[in-house]
Amino acid sequence: MQIIFHIDLNAFYASAEMANDSSLEGKPLVISGNNRRAIVSTASYEARKYGIHSAMPLFQAKQLCKNLIIKPVNFDLYRRLSSQFFELISTYSPLLEIASIDECYVDFSNYIIEHNIHPYKLAKIIQNDVLNTLKLKCSIGIAPNKFMAKMASDMKKPMGITILNKSNYKHLLWPLDVSEMFGIGKKTAPKLKEMGILTIGDVANYDNYNKLRQIIGKNALLLYRKANGIDISKVNTEKNELKSVGNSTTLQYDTNDIETIYETLRILCSRVSFRAKKRNLIGNSISITIKYSRFESVTRQTPLIDYINEYEIILSTAKYLFDKNYSGKPLRLIGVSLNNVINRSSYKKQVSLFDKNIEKNKIKTTDAVINKINSENKYHLTTASALLNKSKNKYRKE
């Protein structure tokens, strides 16, 4: 039986701002523009206690909470934390499908068998790892298929863990309002209710199937099956759009002690290398982030001549970037990232026939192919490097 986790970061944009600035923790916060037409993108759980929610006009949110904190959208921060979140989850299982910037499906079927661990215990470990490493909270749904896992993760927030299975899904899922069913949009739900389909249990009732088909059309059978706990879709790792493997840390105290900073760099580079190797990923670019304060940071990147994941190369490159760009002021945060990552199995190195340092076995292979073509077809082919050497010898004689 499949064991699928749906892992959902709670109030992600707001939580990301709190992770980046601890002074925001526990305060009513929204992510929004700050003009008269602005709407709330994300509201922290503290803000939600005032009745504030996403898509609410900002002026209404201000009326509900006089001490509301408003932060603009910071996509660079969100993308960085999102990437680190997926990287962390992927260290548990490579069978990961990214659903959006703040959620993913993970197939833990083999992991649970191999480690002989209860799914709930594993979910708790992952929650704590995400919280301790990234300062982000997440809810986790556990189920035998993706649909039920997605529904389960929404049932307890923040930091909830819910298990849905064949024995309890009718009790937990069917009483929910039809608008809460994943796959039914805001425009469709009122139409279903007009036809008397009020709950997910009503969607699961075959007596309502013809009504469902009138509204939903060709997807009626799919929703009917999902409401009955049936979903055959697999975790699609091809949707894993991970483009970098990175790690950053906020220092316990701001410091400009170079030995402390170098030691932190070594730890970060070791983690990046470990995570990349565990997922069989290689990259051809290294970047570092140096943050001096909440408002002053530097990010620098340099390309590599080849795809790598070795600790020594990552460390030496990161150290080079740091030494070149560090101003000497006390640091608040430092990060290292291996970018443009691909799976090693899909890497095809381009071999140059002009390369004097080409491995001997590759030279022999090239020569063997050329000799075979010449003998079978009476041609007189040769390599570009041989022509180049011949030309050089000619000039030496002259």
Side-chain angles (χ1 to χ4, degrees), residues 151-183:
M151 294 299 298
S153 69
D154 283 335
M155 290 181 174
K156 296 177 186 176
K157 289 186 175 183
M159 289 291 281
I161 299 173
T162 303
I163 297 176
L164 270 183
N165 52 40
K166 295 294 183 182
S167 65
N168 69 359
Y169 81 93
K170 294 179 181 179
H171 171 69
L172 295 176
L173 204 60
W174 283 7
L176 298 178
D177 190 281
V178 69
S179 63
E180 295 184 46
M181 182 173 178
F182 181 61

Side-chain angles (χ1 to χ4, degrees), residues 87-357:
E87 290 158 20
L88 190 155
I89 300 302
S90 69
T91 63
Y92 291 90
S93 171
L95 302 178
L96 178 149
E97 175 185 332
I98 296 175
S100 69
I101 193 171
D102 60 353
E103 60 179 320
C104 62
Y105 297 96
V106 193
D107 188 337
F108 279 114
S109 309
N110 293 333
Y111 184 99
I112 286 167
I113 293 172
E114 291 170 3
H115 294 81
N116 191 28
I117 187 172
H118 192 279
Y120 187 92
K121 184 177 180 181
L122 174 59
K124 201 67 183 175
I125 291 171
I126 291 172
Q127 270 189 342
N128 291 333
D129 198 2
V130 172
L131 183 62
N132 294 333
T133 304
L134 302 176
K135 299 181 182 177
L136 297 173
K137 295 179 180 180
C138 65
S139 293
I140 300 177
I142 305 169
N145 60 56
K146 288 169 63 177
F147 169 74
M148 289 170 65
K150 168 68 175 176
M151 294 299 298
S153 69
D154 283 335
M155 290 181 174
K156 296 177 186 176
K157 289 186 175 183
M159 289 291 281
I161 299 173
T162 303
I163 297 176
L164 270 183
N165 52 40
K166 295 294 183 182
S167 65
N168 69 359
Y169 81 93
K170 294 179 181 179
H171 171 69
L172 295 176
L173 204 60
W174 283 7
L176 298 178
D177 190 281
V178 69
S179 63
E180 295 184 46
M181 182 173 178
F182 181 61
I184 293 180
K186 293 180 179 179
K187 293 182 178 180
T188 304
K191 295 178 182 178
L192 292 173
K193 290 182 178 181
E194 287 178 5
M195 300 287 283
I197 300 174
L198 307 178
T199 66
I200 295 178
D202 293 333
V203 177
N205 186 345
Y206 187 73
D207 292 341
N208 294 321
Y209 183 71
N210 286 332
K211 296 178 183 177
L212 189 67
R213 192 168 58 179
Q214 289 178 38
I215 305 297
I216 304 296
K218 63 182 180 180
N219 290 323
L221 180 59
L222 186 65
L223 289 176
Y224 167 76
R225 286 169 60 84
K226 287 182 176 180
N228 281 285
I230 303 168
D231 179 16
I232 62 172
S233 60
K234 302 293 184 182
V235 171
N236 185 359
T237 57
E238 292 183 3
K239 291 187 177 181
N240 183 344
E241 299 175 354
L242 197 62
K243 298 300 181 185
S244 65
V245 178
N247 205 278
S248 65
T249 187
T250 301
L251 301 170
Q252 188 172 3
Y253 303 101
D254 292 5
T255 183
N256 58 0
D257 179 72
I258 201 66
E259 287 306 317
T260 300
I261 295 171
Y262 281 168
E263 178 59 25
T264 304
L265 267 178
R266 283 190 283 270
I267 293 170
L268 292 175
C269 292
S270 176
R271 289 174 180 170
V272 169
S273 175
F274 172 78
R275 289 180 175 178
K277 288 179 178 179
K278 188 165 184 178
R279 296 205 64 204
N280 202 31
L281 297 174
I282 50 178
N284 68 352
S285 171
I286 301 291
S287 64
I288 65 164
T289 299
I290 303 169
K291 190 168 187 178
Y292 300 107
S293 69
R294 277 181 285 171
F295 309 105
E296 184 184 3
S297 64
V298 174
T299 299
R300 292 291 182 268
Q301 180 170 309
T302 187
L304 304 172
I305 61 173
D306 202 357
Y307 281 84
I308 59 94
N309 60 14
E310 288 78 16
Y311 162 72
E312 292 80 6
I313 299 175
I314 296 171
L315 176 61
S316 61
T317 309
K319 189 173 179 298
Y320 161 76
L321 285 171
F322 176 81
D323 290 342
K324 188 175 179 180
N325 294 282
Y326 178 48
S327 71
K329 293 187 294 187
L331 289 186
R332 173 189 178 92
L333 175 146
I334 188 165
V336 177
S337 182
L338 175 66
N339 307 316
N340 303 327
V341 296
I342 59 172
N343 194 285
R344 185 183 288 277
S345 62
S346 63
Y347 176 53
K348 301 294 185 291
K349 185 173 181 179
Q350 182 68 41
V351 178
S352 171
L353 296 180
F354 289 96
D355 188 357
K356 293 196 302 182
N357 297 317

